Amino acid sequence: MVKNGSEILIDALVEQGVDTIFGYPGGAVLNIYDALYKNSDRIHHILTAHEQGAAHAADGYARSTGKVGVCLATSGPGATNLVTGIATAYMDSIPMVAITGNVGTSLIGRDSFQEVYIAGITMPITKHNFVVRHVEELADTVREAFRIAQSGRPGPVLIDIPKDVTAATTEFTPKGRVEVHETYDISEEQLKTVADMIDKAERPFIYYGGGVEISDAGSELLALMRKAEIPSAHTMMAIGCVPDDDELSLGMIGMHGTVSADWAVERSDLLICIGARFSDRVATNTGHFAPGARIIHVDIDAAEINKNIDTTYSVVSDAKTFLEKVLPYVKENKHTAWLAQINEWRAKLDYRAKDDESVIHPHQLLRTVAEETPEDTIIATDVGQHQLWSAQYNGRRHPRQFLTSGGLGTMGFGYGAAIGAQIAFPGRTVVHITGDGSFHMNLNEICTAVSYRLPIITVIMNNRVLGNVRQWQTMFYGSRYSQTDPHRKTDYIKLADAFGAVGYRASNIAELREALRKAQQSDGPVLIDCQIDKDERVLPMIPAGGTIDDLVTD
C-alpha cells in the first residue's frame, strides 16, 4: 500500500506495539501530527508543557513498564529540549526512541529556521541515531531503532526525519514486531569457576544494580542468596528487586548506603557484582574498595568490565541468564560467623534517625507515604536530598516501583517520569517526591497532569534551600552558602490552584497523613507542601573520594 512518510511512521510504531507517544508539535513535524490526528484511535498522544517533560515522561513510561518509551519533538529548539531527557535515559540504560523532525533535505546545512544537527548533538548520549534521507528507509529504520533500544544494554535511540521525507510517498510493507531474543554464551568452565569461588568464600557479598531490574532477575538473585547464604546490597537503580526487609538484604550500598553494607564490602573476601558498574557513588575510592576481596563482575556490557575496578573474574551476560545458569553449580552453604558479624554491625552501627511527630523529619515522611499508600504505589523522585532519603526509606518491595535519575542526576526529572508512569498504569497510585529546588525546574508539567486528569500526588520536601549542595557546603566549605538559599516565596497552595490542581500544606506528621488520605480521593493532581528543616542532612555519608573510615553519621 502506498503511503506518505508520516503514515508509514505511525504504522511502523503501531507495528512495534506503541500505544502512547509523549510530545510537542512544531513546523517540522506538522505532517506527523496530522497523521497522529487521523490515527488517534491507534496511538494516544500526550501533549506535555515542554519537550524535556515529554522525554522524561517517555523515560518514566519505560522504567515502570519495561517497554520502549517514545517521545516526539520538532526541529531546532524542540529537538535540543529533548537532550537532557535523552542523556538521563542513556546514563540509566532506559529503552527509548526519540523522534525529531528536521527541515527539508534541501535546506539542511543552510542554517535554516529551526535547524540544528541533532544527530551530532546527541551522538554521545544515544546507543545509535539515524537521519532518514529517503522515505523508502523509514519503516526499516524505525524497526532497527526499536531493536537497538531493547537489545543488549538498553538505551535511547534517536530518529531524525526531514519534513519532506514525512510527506514523500512509497510502498509500505508490514513486517511485524521486532522480537529481541538474545543469548549469552557462558561456558561450563566459567560457571564452575564462579561456583567454586563462591563455595570457597568465607565472607561472600553480593552488590547488584540496575541490570538485575532490567532483566527481571530479582527472584533468581534471591534464590542464589538463600542457597549459598550470601548477604547483598543494592544500588539506587535496583530498589525493590529484593525487599530490604529480607534477612539477607542490607539495603542500599555506597555514599549514602547503610553502614553495615559498606562494612560488609570492606571486610568481604569475595565480592560478586551483578548488573552494576562500580560508579563513584558506590566505589567512592576505587583504590580502597573491597580491599581484601576477590571480585567477580557480571555485566551485559563488556565495556564496563575493568573500567572502574580491576576484577578477579568476569562474565559478560545479562543478570537473569547468569543467575539461572550458575545456580545449579553453586552448593548449599552456611556462613554463620559472617552473618553474625553483619548482624552485629546492623545493630550497633547502622544509622537510625530519631522520630518526632510534632515536625516532619524526612524518614518519617517517607514512612508515612509507605503506610498511607497501596503496596503497588510507584514512587518517582527528582534529584537532591529528597531523592537520597527516598532511596533510603522508600519502602518499595517490588521492581519498577522506584523511578529516579541515578546516573545523570537530573533535577526536574520526577514530574515527567510520574506522568509517564501514571499514563502507563492509570489504576495505580503514583507519588512524586521532590524538593522545592528540583520542583521549580519543571513544575510547568502540572498543567499536563491537570489536562489529562492524572491523580499524581506530589510531596514537596520544602526546606527553602538547595538542600544537597547546601549540605556539602556545610560539611566541606565552611558553611559558606553560595547561591543555595534562593529566597523564593512560592506559595504552593496558590500555585496548585492556579494550575487547576489541589494543594495542601503539612507541618507535622498528622497533617501529612490527613493530606495523603485526601489526595488519594482526588481525580486530578495534588501538591502537598511539607515543611522540612533546612539543616536536615542525608546520613550516613561517605564523602567523595573517601572510604568507610571517613564515614559521617552525625
Side-chain angles (χ1 to χ4, degrees):
M1 185 180 295
V2 175
K3 298 188 176 187
N4 67 35
S6 299
E7 294 167 333
I8 289 171
L9 174 64
I10 301 303
D11 281 352
L13 291 173
V14 171
E15 182 183 79
Q16 299 311 311
V18 175
D19 55 19
T20 304
I21 294 178
F22 304 88
Y24 203 95
V29 288
L30 277 175
N31 294 329
I32 296 173
Y33 272 86
D34 191 52
L36 282 168
Y37 181 90
K38 295 172 183 176
N39 289 274
S40 58
D41 59 328
R42 304 169 71 201
I43 290 188
H44 187 203
H45 180 277
I46 303 297
L47 175 65
T48 55
H50 190 283
E51 291 90 353
Q52 185 179 135
H56 292 327
D59 182 318
Y61 181 93
R63 289 181 198 244
S64 60
T65 63
K67 299 191 290 187
V68 178
V70 181
C71 55
L72 171 63
T74 193
S75 62
T80 56
N81 281 344
L82 293 178
V83 169
T84 297
I86 294 171
T88 301
Y90 181 76
M91 288 290 284
D92 289 343
S93 304
I94 306 304
M96 177 195 293
V97 171
I99 301 166
T100 54
N102 213 329
V103 300
T105 52
S106 64
L107 298 175
I108 289 176
R110 298 175 180 270
D111 293 331
S112 302
F113 177 67
Q114 291 194 332
E115 179 198 358
V116 296
Y117 180 37
I118 192 63
I121 291 170
T122 58
M123 194 172 292
I125 53 168
T126 55
K127 283 189 72 178
H128 194 77
N129 53 37
F130 298 92
V131 179
V132 182
R133 293 301 186 104
H134 305 284
V135 69
E136 293 83 4
E137 303 168 354
L138 181 55
D140 282 341
T141 297
V142 172
R143 294 165 184 139
E144 183 66 3
F146 274 78
R147 186 194 66 77
I148 293 172
Q150 299 171 83
S151 61
R153 181 178 183 173
V157 177
L158 181 129
I159 307 173
D160 190 47
I161 312 172
K163 188 172 183 179
D164 56 320
V165 174
T166 67
T169 59
T170 191
E171 187 81 20
F172 174 72
T173 304
K175 292 187 178 180
R177 191 167 181 169
V178 172
E179 298 292 342
V180 179
H181 298 294
E182 294 183 298
T183 58
Y184 294 88
D185 294 325
I186 308 174
S187 69
E188 186 175 21
E189 181 183 355
Q190 287 178 297
L191 296 170
K192 286 181 176 179
T193 299
V194 170
D196 185 61
M197 292 173 73
I198 292 173
D199 294 340
K200 291 179 178 177
E202 295 181 359
R203 300 182 304 281
F205 193 73
I206 295 173
Y207 141 52
Y208 65 95
V212 173
E213 177 170 272
I214 290 168
S215 64
D216 191 24
S219 59
E220 290 81 4
L221 173 61
L222 191 56
L224 174 62
M225 290 164 56
R226 288 176 174 166
K227 184 175 184 180
E229 199 170 63
I230 307 175
S232 74
H234 57 76
T235 69
M236 190 182 293
M237 302 310 301
I239 286 172
C241 291
V242 172
D244 281 350
D245 59 3
D246 188 274
E247 63 181 359
L248 290 172
S249 175
L250 275 63
M252 192 167 71
I253 193 173
M255 179 177 284
H256 294 289
T258 63
V259 179
S260 55
D262 290 331
W263 269 111
V265 170
E266 175 78 9
R267 298 294 176 84
S268 65
D269 63 357
L270 178 69
L271 181 65
I272 308 159
C273 174
I274 305 174
R277 57 189 175 86
F278 297 98
S279 81
D280 59 306
R281 286 301 184 264
V282 172
T284 48
N285 185 322
T286 55
H288 296 85
F289 186 74
R294 303 175 78 193
I295 297 175
I296 298 171
H297 191 184
V298 181
D299 202 280
I300 199 169
D301 186 353
E304 292 295 344
I305 306 297
N306 296 318
K307 185 176 82 174
N308 295 327
I309 292 284
D310 290 333
T311 58
T312 308
Y313 199 76
S314 62
V315 177
V316 176
S317 170
D318 73 297
K320 194 178 190 75
T321 300
F322 165 76
L323 288 164
E324 287 176 341
K325 289 188 174 183
V326 80
L327 194 59
Y329 289 86
V330 175
K331 297 176 183 177
E332 291 190 14
N333 208 338
K334 295 290 182 182
H335 297 98
T336 305
W338 177 226
L339 290 183
Q341 174 65 83
I342 284 174
N343 287 330
E344 182 180 339
W345 290 330
R346 278 172 157 166
K348 293 182 178 180
L349 301 180
D350 274 354
Y351 178 78
R352 289 172 176 83
K354 296 179 180 178
D355 289 354
D356 183 349
E357 293 284 324
S358 67
V359 296
I360 299 180
H361 288 310
H363 72 283
Q364 290 174 275
L365 182 154
L366 273 304
R367 183 195 303 156
T368 304
V369 169
E371 291 171 352
E372 292 294 334
T373 58
E375 186 176 332
D376 67 351
T377 295
I378 296 171
I379 302 290
T381 85
D382 282 293
V383 170
Q385 284 182 310
H386 70 274
Q387 174 198 32
L388 301 170
W389 285 316
S390 297
Q392 292 174 327
Y393 303 110
N394 66 88
R396 299 305 93 196
R397 296 175 52 81
H398 305 286
R400 302 195 180 279
Q401 283 187 279
F402 189 79
L403 317 180
T404 197
S405 171
L408 196 64
T410 305
M411 294 175 70
F413 167 80
Y415 211 101
I419 288 171
Q422 191 73 85
I423 290 292
F425 298 101
R428 288 169 65 178
T429 301
V430 175
V431 178
H432 168 221
I433 306 289
T434 187
D436 52 301
S438 279
F439 190 51
H440 276 92
M441 289 274 185
N442 278 333
L443 59 78
N444 53 339
E445 293 301 339
I446 299 172
C447 70
T448 306
V450 168
S451 295
Y452 292 95
R453 305 305 300 166
L454 304 177
I456 295 165
I457 301 170
T458 294
V459 179
I460 305 168
M461 292 194 188
N462 184 8
N463 58 8
R464 298 158 300 283
V465 294
L466 305 183
N468 207 37
V469 182
R470 187 179 188 277
Q471 175 172 329
W472 282 59
Q473 289 173 336
T474 300
M475 298 173 70
F476 310 118
Y477 292 87
S479 297
R480 294 182 294 277
Y481 299 122
S482 177
Q483 302 304 312
T484 49
D485 187 347
H487 301 287
R488 290 171 180 153
K489 307 298 181 185
T490 307
D491 185 324
Y492 296 104
I493 311 306
K494 292 180 179 178
L495 179 76
D497 184 62
F499 272 104
V502 176
Y504 300 108
R505 188 171 284 113
S507 58
N508 57 51
I509 293 299
E511 291 175 353
L512 171 60
R513 199 175 295 277
E514 181 181 6
L516 285 166
R517 291 173 181 176
K518 289 180 178 178
Q520 290 179 85
Q521 303 304 313
S522 176
D523 64 349
V526 174
L527 307 184
I528 305 176
D529 178 7
C530 298
Q531 305 298 303
I532 304 292
D533 191 307
K534 65 182 179 182
D535 291 318
E536 289 268 15
R537 290 195 290 172
V538 182
L539 296 174
M541 178 180 180
I542 298 177
T547 69
I548 190 72
D549 296 325
D550 304 304
L551 187 73
V552 179
T553 58
D554 56 32

